[in-house]
Amino acid sequence: MKLKFNGFLVLLLVLVAQLTFAQERAVSGTVSDNTGMPLPGVSVLVKGTKTGTQTDFDGKFSIKASSSQILVFSYIGMKSQEVAASSTSLNVKLKDDSVELEGVVVTALGIKKEEKKLGYAVSKVTSDEITKSGEQNVLQALAGKAAGVQIIGSGGTPGASSKIIIRGANTITGTTDPLIVVDGVPIDNTTDQTTAGDNPFNSNLSGINNSNRALDINPNDIESVTILKGPAAAALYGARAGNGVIIYTTKKGKNGKGLGIDFNTSLGIDKVSQLPAKQRIYVQGTNTKDFNGASPQSWGPTAASLGLPTYNNEKNFFQEGITQTNNISIYGGDEKATFRASYGNVTQTGMIPETGLKRNTLRLVGDIKLSESWKAGGSLQYTHTTNVLAQNGSNVSGVMLSLLRSPTNYDLRDYITPIGDNKNYVTSYDNPYFTVNENPATSDVNRALGNMYLTYQHAAWLNVTAKGGIDAYSDARKQIFAKSSNGDGLGGIGEVAFNSITNKDYYGDLIASGLLPLKSEWLKINYTAGLNLRSTQYLSVYSRGKDLAVRGVYNLGNATELYASNYEENQISRALFAQVDFEIKDQLFLSGTVRKEWSSTYGDNVKSAIFPSGTASWILSNTFDWASFAKLSYGYGEVGIAPKPYRTISTFAQPFMTDGFTDGLSFPYNGVNGMSPAGRLGNQDLKPERVLGHDLGLSTKFLENRLAIDLNLYYKTSKDLLIDVPLPQSSGFALDYRNAAELVNKGIELEIGYDIFKKSNAFQWNINLNWAKNENKVTDISGGLNEISIEPAFASIGYYAVKGQPLGSFYGTKWERDANGQKIIGSDGLPIIADQTGNLGNSAPKWTGGIRNTFSFKRVTLSALIDVRHGGAVYNGTLARLDNFGLSERSADREHNYIIDGVKEDGSKNDIAIPAQKYYREFLGDNGGAAEEAVTQVNWVRLRDATISYDFNVKEFPLFTAAQISLTGRNLWLNTNYKGVDPETSLTGAGSSINGLDYFNNPGSKSFIMSLRVSF
């Protein structure tokens, strides 16, 4: 009995000990964010139970839990964290729930990967950087933020297009636009130029600068941006990724307690950043003796000598643009489902009167866990964008042409006669006030973006996802030329034109992925395989009515002469793809991909194309047990650019003849219609252009990861480039569209990030630097050609691809020079123009760079981005014409003769004096002078954006969980050698191959933006 009693006592003691050990006790502490700021309203839950609490306004909590239990901390917008309740005092820091903070990036096909495992270079841009830019176009918002990524704006008017070039141009005649992907689904980013079917000229040189359709994305909906720059990174997208890929990941719902509400509002003021300087001393006339009020030139006498008043027409014309932005989002969720609904509104009035932009965006995103194995989700976005645009460029109805050519003695504000006709200093130009008030051009876009997915998770080795998406939009455009307008070569008879554009993209993926069940501790193998289907339907219908019967009635029924044309395009493609990833001892990471693609634009003799890639990365620091981080990577990949539709067949068209100065003759003629072969021979051997790229990278981190350095070298060969090769006219065709050229891009990119102080320091200073240099060369043009015109420009200068030269060089008239490079001066005192045109420079910069400094102390943050460009040619046709007309600032120095530096034809130094008017008109100007004189190698240093923000202590505002006020300046300071508008300009816009062309372009802007953000 004694033994049994002792055993019972021992058992009783053990039970008492266990109960004592498992006894609940109070666990308390503080929850804060990354910066150490206390977080109120954080959910604290004992895992596996219903016991829970929330932090107070000081981020403090207290809950009863045993030492063996787990506490789950969750908060909207933060990553949930599990902490053992082994201590009665806990201090917890929650991290922002974004992929960047976890070292994860979104790659091709929406696959998330740890950045350390990648064998190629990517650039990441955060939502905060997008917001700080203050830009409404998500492409323009990337300017200066990533190495090797060049952004070319087309002016500061609302909705102006933005072109992006990644690591140089990879094609000669195709578009340089990268593929834009939103939440795993490619979308359309076209910049369509309205063009009548009977227009034989390059419509990009005049008219309206239309928007690129990435404008329809609300920047406030963007969570992160990943830029896949090389073929190795983008190979899974095949023939759509020849120019790289930009992946936008949008914000989604958060797992947390209750609803979260974010609201932000901002007010921006836009001002003209830079204009060509003009002289305001001399008035209209062709000589200094006589005033001639009918002359467009300003070579007359001084205004003071005639007692005439002077006017600053540019200052009077431009106004402050106002941009109002409001965004609200509601989000929430739990372990089973999350959602986010947002609405964004932008109302912008332009610096050019009567121009403006309105955009309303509704977006709904949701994910739901149907069971342990099934998950579904999707998103739906509707955007309504309206735009009022201004005429620009080589256009007598263009705002800048008439404005900058205006003489100082004429007040443009007197722009209309009592009966409503155009009134101007010269009858052949439209007054800019008349243009903006009487000749409006409008665009009305309705766009729907949607995608949905269904995922089945069978096991770790098998995950199947079906995903589908649609991108559909319509654009209703209208252009008016009032009676008496000179626009469109009308001679004042009036015109109304309509352009209806519809585009539908359908996209679908079926993807299987998983981790192979290997019984190995040192080897992991992941796979991805699937198929893709895509279909595009495009229709553009143009209609025009000329010679309006009743003034102010803009309806085709009011027109005497009617015209209509249309263009229709349908494409379809399908593809199979696969990817295998090998992970060896968390040190060596190997990956291979392949995509086989069939497309309706390929010739019947080709049918399909294969795009492979292979990458490797070696984390040296894991192999050699270094305290710091070091990774060496290499990647090779092939991507493509598909042929243009319908080039495999010979088509018919209405023929036309033109002399280069008039609209020429075309059918129907005298009531008789006619069609003939279009002049381009169909080619059943067409295959996609191919871009073959090598990437070599070194990534390192030092000083407890405070210093990060990424160095990347690349070499790309673009083969089978598609060009038009001339054919003998006797063949019945003028051109043969074929794979017949090759070019090379090679370059270096450097990105550095440095946290000057440790995270524990109250004052923080972070530096991010990027620098890139790209060299480009056309290495081969077959068909017996040494050069081809990329796109028509002006008579004196063109944009060419020349064998042995960089792509996109300006070729035009040059001065004759001797062996020492000196100009040869003729007997008239002017340089002699060479018989042959020559290379005047390339529009691509020699190198680009950016440096962002971010300072933070307690609740105040200051951030500034300096953007640098060195080199790159710009044709300043605007200044050449102002010199010709005696309107440039330097042409005011006209009270003496000039001797042009050079040598005479006999080799002696030139000593022939010429009048100032001849010097400026025929040497510096474009009245017979060489185009060479108007080309400038441009450098700039600009303050791209600067933001100062203050985060309020929300403890004083119980209603809010976060609140911030900020002030942003964009392009506030610009240091450049360029004498014109902001040199970040493009006359022909994003829909053109030409860069660096300035001929009465609309000006750029500088902005001041005040913003308020609050969260509930």
Side-chain angles (χ1 to χ4, degrees):
M1 284 293 296
K2 186 175 181 180
L3 181 61
K4 289 182 178 180
F5 181 76
N6 288 339
F8 177 78
L9 285 178
V10 171
L11 179 61
L12 182 61
L13 289 173
V14 169
L15 289 174
V16 170
Q18 287 181 333
L19 287 172
T20 302
F21 183 77
Q23 185 177 9
E24 291 184 341
R25 74 273 199 256
V27 179
S28 59
T30 303
V31 183
S32 59
D33 62 12
N34 283 328
T35 65
M37 296 296 298
L39 289 174
V42 176
S43 172
V44 185
L45 182 69
V46 179
K47 189 174 183 179
T49 73
K50 296 183 179 180
T51 304
T53 186
Q54 282 189 334
T55 58
D56 61 17
F57 292 120
D58 295 319
K60 296 180 178 179
F61 73 94
S62 179
I63 192 171
K64 287 189 176 182
S66 68
S67 59
S68 61
Q69 289 180 310
I70 302 295
L71 299 182
V72 181
F73 297 84
S74 57
Y75 186 69
I76 293 176
M78 298 288 182
K79 190 173 183 65
S80 297
Q81 187 172 336
E82 295 185 0
V83 180
S86 55
S87 172
T88 58
S89 179
L90 297 175
N91 290 317
V92 179
K93 279 191 175 183
L94 296 184
K95 294 182 178 180
D96 191 13
D97 189 11
S98 64
V99 295
E100 290 79 28
L101 292 175
E102 297 302 310
V104 175
V105 294
V106 180
T107 63
L109 300 178
I111 301 170
K112 293 182 178 180
K113 285 189 175 184
E114 292 182 69
E115 191 174 3
K116 69 178 184 179
K117 299 180 181 180
L118 299 180
Y120 47 78
V122 300
S123 287
K124 300 175 295 179
V125 181
T126 66
S127 60
D128 190 46
E129 290 179 281
I130 297 290
T131 303
K132 285 175 182 176
S133 73
E135 298 282 359
Q136 293 304 322
N137 191 320
V138 293
L139 289 188
Q140 190 65 38
L142 300 177
K145 298 176 178 63
V149 179
Q150 182 188 4
I151 309 293
I152 305 169
S154 53
T157 53
S161 64
S162 294
K163 179 190 293 187
I164 183 167
I165 300 175
I166 300 175
R167 289 183 171 179
N170 297 309
T171 180
I172 293 178
T173 58
T175 176
T176 60
D177 289 341
L179 178 66
I180 306 297
V181 179
V182 178
D183 290 339
V185 176
I187 68 166
D188 183 84
N189 183 41
T190 303
T191 306
D192 272 328
Q193 185 72 13
T194 294
T195 306
D198 61 348
N199 180 15
F201 305 116
N202 183 359
S203 57
N204 289 310
L205 298 174
S206 62
I208 301 303
N209 194 315
N210 291 293
S211 304
N212 59 294
R213 291 270 56 94
L215 177 73
D216 301 323
I217 302 173
N218 182 2
N220 194 70
D221 287 331
I222 301 301
E223 177 68 35
S224 65
V225 183
T226 304
I227 304 173
L228 307 181
K229 295 186 282 191
L236 280 174
Y237 286 113
R240 301 188 73 190
N243 296 307
V245 182
I246 301 179
I247 299 174
Y248 290 92
T249 302
T250 64
K251 297 175 182 176
K252 295 178 173 58
K254 305 295 183 181
N255 182 357
K257 186 173 182 179
L259 293 178
I261 301 176
D262 287 342
F263 173 75
N264 65 70
T265 183
S266 67
L267 177 65
I269 300 174
D270 300 325
K271 296 184 177 182
V272 173
S273 61
Q274 184 168 300
L275 286 171
K278 290 177 58 178
Q279 65 85 9
R280 307 189 190 279
I281 300 171
Y282 298 91
V283 298
Q284 286 173 279
T286 56
N287 61 72
T288 57
K289 296 180 180 179
D290 302 311
F291 169 74
N292 181 355
S295 173
Q297 299 181 22
S298 291
W299 289 105
T302 65
S305 68
L306 300 177
L308 293 177
T310 61
Y311 305 92
N312 188 327
N313 284 311
E314 297 78 39
K315 183 178 180 181
N316 293 338
F317 180 76
F318 291 110
Q319 62 185 18
E320 288 186 346
I322 302 295
T323 302
Q324 295 175 289
T325 305
N326 295 286
N327 289 282
I328 186 169
S329 62
I330 302 172
Y331 50 91
D334 55 25
E335 294 181 354
K336 290 187 176 181
T338 63
F339 78 95
R340 181 180 185 268
S342 65
Y343 168 71
N345 168 264
V346 176
T347 302
Q348 185 176 11
T349 58
M351 302 176 300
I352 295 176
E354 305 304 323
T355 61
L357 169 73
K358 291 184 179 180
R359 184 182 65 207
N360 289 276
T361 306
L362 286 167
R363 186 171 181 84
L364 179 63
V365 184
D367 299 278
I368 184 169
K369 189 175 182 181
L370 301 173
S371 68
E372 290 300 317
S373 299
W374 292 91
K375 185 178 180 180
S379 67
L380 179 64
Q381 174 181 312
Y382 168 72
T383 303
H384 183 213
T385 306
T386 58
N387 213 180
V388 181
L389 306 107
Q391 298 279 335
N392 77 160
S394 181
N395 180 355
V396 293
S397 191
V399 166
M400 291 293 284
L401 184 144
S402 181
L403 178 63
L404 292 183
R405 296 182 186 186
S406 63
T408 190
N409 58 277
Y410 190 89
D411 188 354
L412 286 173
R413 289 173 291 189
D414 183 16
Y415 74 91
I416 195 167
T417 67
I419 64 170
D421 281 349
N422 172 54
K423 184 179 180 182
N424 206 6
Y425 57 91
V426 62
T427 56
S428 58
Y429 300 162
D430 282 359
N431 189 305
Y433 288 95
F434 187 86
T435 290
V436 298
N437 286 284
E438 307 298 328
N439 296 342
T442 59
S443 169
D444 190 322
V445 176
N446 288 279
R447 187 172 193 177
L449 293 169
N451 71 77
M452 59 189 304
Y453 72 88
L454 179 65
T455 296
Y456 173 65
Q457 178 73 55
H458 176 72
W461 61 270
L462 179 60
N463 180 295
V464 180
T465 297
K467 177 170 57 179
I470 183 172
D471 175 10
Y473 68 83
S474 65
D475 187 354
R477 299 175 179 176
K478 183 178 181 179
Q479 171 68 68
I480 290 171
F481 290 107
K483 290 179 73 69
S484 78
S485 171
N486 297 284
D488 211 20
L490 295 169
I493 62 176
E495 175 183 290
V496 59
F498 299 91
N499 187 199
S500 174
I501 297 172
T502 57
N503 189 82
K504 298 176 184 177
D505 274 343
Y506 301 94
Y507 183 89
D509 280 329
L510 180 63
I511 303 174
S513 61
L515 175 66
L516 294 183
L518 302 177
K519 295 181 179 180
S520 172
E521 295 295 328
W522 60 272
L523 176 64
K524 296 180 181 178
I525 302 178
N526 285 276
Y527 74 92
T528 301
L531 59 88
N532 166 252
L533 296 173
R534 172 180 164 262
S535 173
T536 299
Q537 301 169 9
Y538 174 89
L539 175 64
S540 176
V541 179
Y542 178 87
S543 57
R544 178 183 69 217
K546 288 183 177 181
D547 194 2
L548 304 181
V550 179
R551 185 186 298 271
V553 177
Y554 300 109
N555 185 285
L556 294 177
N558 188 39
T560 305
E561 179 186 337
L562 297 177
Y563 170 84
S565 62
N566 71 287
Y567 177 75
E568 186 173 358
E569 185 177 291
N570 296 289
Q571 300 180 57
I572 190 168
S573 69
R574 62 190 189 277
L576 298 173
F577 54 84
Q579 174 174 299
V580 181
D581 301 316
F582 299 88
E583 179 179 330
I584 303 173
K585 291 188 175 182
D586 197 33
Q587 299 174 26
L588 184 62
F589 305 91
L590 306 175
S591 180
T593 74
V594 64
R595 178 184 177 103
K596 183 169 185 178
E597 186 168 309
W598 297 261
S599 174
S600 60
T601 65
Y602 300 171
D604 286 346
N605 298 332
V606 176
K607 294 183 180 179
S608 67
I610 296 177
F611 303 96
S613 79
T615 65
S617 64
W618 178 20
I619 302 181
L620 303 169
S621 51
N622 286 1
T623 302
F624 300 107
D625 197 25
W626 294 341
S628 57
F629 174 83
K631 181 186 79 170
L632 186 65
S633 62
Y634 168 76
Y636 171 81
E638 298 182 17
V639 288
I641 299 173
K644 295 177 182 178
Y646 309 123
R647 297 299 176 87
T648 59
I649 57 176
S650 302
T651 59
F652 286 83
Q654 289 179 334
F656 61 81
M657 297 178 63
T658 178
D659 56 10
F661 296 95
T662 69
D663 289 342
L665 299 174
S666 64
F667 285 99
Y669 184 73
N670 279 343
V672 178
N673 196 13
M675 295 283 281
S676 71
R680 183 180 285 111
L681 180 65
N683 184 354
Q684 289 294 340
D685 293 321
L686 288 185
K687 54 187 175 182
E689 302 178 343
R690 302 186 72 84
V691 183
L692 291 64
H694 300 264
D695 275 84
L696 181 63
L698 176 64
S699 299
T700 60
K701 292 182 180 180
F702 305 99
L703 304 177
E704 298 177 341
N705 295 334
R706 286 166 36 219
L707 174 62
I709 302 174
D710 290 305
L711 177 66
N712 290 282
L713 308 175
Y714 63 87
Y715 187 94
K716 296 186 297 180
T717 302
S718 297
K719 303 178 67 175
D720 299 326
L721 298 184
L722 291 155
I723 60 173
D724 282 318
V725 177
L727 292 175
Q729 293 290 342
S730 58
S731 68
F733 295 91
L735 300 170
D736 179 18
Y737 183 69
R738 67 170 85 152
N739 301 93
E742 182 176 305
L743 64 85
V744 167
N745 283 280
K746 57 183 179 180
I748 180 172
E749 297 169 349
L750 177 65
E751 294 186 344
I752 299 176
Y754 184 32
D755 295 325
I756 304 297
F757 304 108
K758 293 183 177 181
K759 294 294 184 182
S760 57
N761 198 316
F763 177 73
Q764 288 293 305
W765 178 9
N766 173 262
I767 300 175
N768 281 285
L769 178 146
N770 70 77
W771 181 88
K773 178 179 176 62
N774 181 79
E775 293 181 0
N776 173 289
K777 181 189 289 187
V778 178
T779 54
D780 184 48
I781 303 175
S782 61
L785 301 175
N786 286 320
E787 63 183 46
I788 56 171
S789 174
I790 297 176
E791 186 176 326
F794 297 112
S796 62
I797 191 168
Y799 207 60
Y800 283 80
V802 181
K803 188 174 179 179
Q805 299 289 335
L807 175 67
S809 295
F810 285 116
Y811 263 67
T813 52
K814 301 186 71 172
W815 301 121
E816 188 74 39
R817 298 177 185 269
D818 66 8
N820 297 319
Q822 295 196 75
K823 299 182 186 74
I824 298 176
I825 311 300
S827 58
D828 59 356
L830 290 171
I832 297 173
I833 295 180
D835 293 333
Q836 300 294 324
T837 58
N839 191 335
L840 307 182
N842 188 269
S843 61
K846 302 291 185 183
W847 57 263
T848 58
I851 181 168
R852 181 179 290 281
N853 282 276
T854 303
F855 307 91
S856 60
F857 180 69
K858 293 185 177 179
R859 302 180 183 277
V860 179
T861 301
L862 173 64
S863 177
L865 173 62
I866 299 292
D867 185 14
V868 184
R869 162 175 160 160
H870 177 68
V874 173
Y875 172 69
N876 195 345
T878 305
L879 180 59
R881 182 51 58 97
L882 295 181
D883 280 330
N884 180 357
F885 280 22
L887 283 160
S888 63
E889 183 180 53
R890 61 189 181 183
S891 68
D893 186 13
R894 59 180 67 173
E895 301 298 332
H896 61 89
N897 291 334
Y898 286 84
I899 298 176
I900 298 173
D901 187 35
V903 297
K904 292 189 287 189
E905 293 179 86
D906 61 5
S908 61
K909 185 173 179 60
N910 178 46
D911 58 1
I912 304 173
I914 59 174
Q917 187 171 352
K918 188 174 185 178
Y919 175 80
Y920 283 104
R921 294 200 67 202
E922 301 179 43
F923 173 54
L924 295 182
D926 59 0
N927 188 33
E932 168 189 356
E933 201 64 37
V935 175
T936 303
Q937 288 293 325
V938 171
N939 305 308
W940 78 52
V941 179
R942 72 172 73 231
L943 182 61
R944 175 68 67 177
D945 63 63
T947 299
I948 185 169
S949 61
Y950 176 78
D951 291 288
F952 290 95
N953 184 355
V954 292
K955 290 191 297 183
E956 301 175 5
F957 306 96
L959 182 63
F960 304 120
T961 57
Q964 182 190 82
I965 190 170
S966 62
L967 181 64
T968 297
R970 184 179 68 234
N971 288 333
L972 295 185
W973 174 73
L974 171 64
N975 184 354
T976 180
N977 65 321
Y978 188 68
K979 296 178 175 62
V981 296
D982 187 326
E984 186 181 69
T985 187
S986 172
L987 169 63
T988 52
S992 164
S993 298
I994 304 178
N995 303 318
L997 200 59
D998 179 4
Y999 193 77
F1000 297 98
N1001 297 10
N1002 290 332
S1005 64
K1006 56 183 177 182
S1007 308
F1008 304 86
I1009 306 165
M1010 186 168 65
S1011 305
L1012 173 66
R1013 298 170 177 270
V1014 293
S1015 298
F1016 303 88

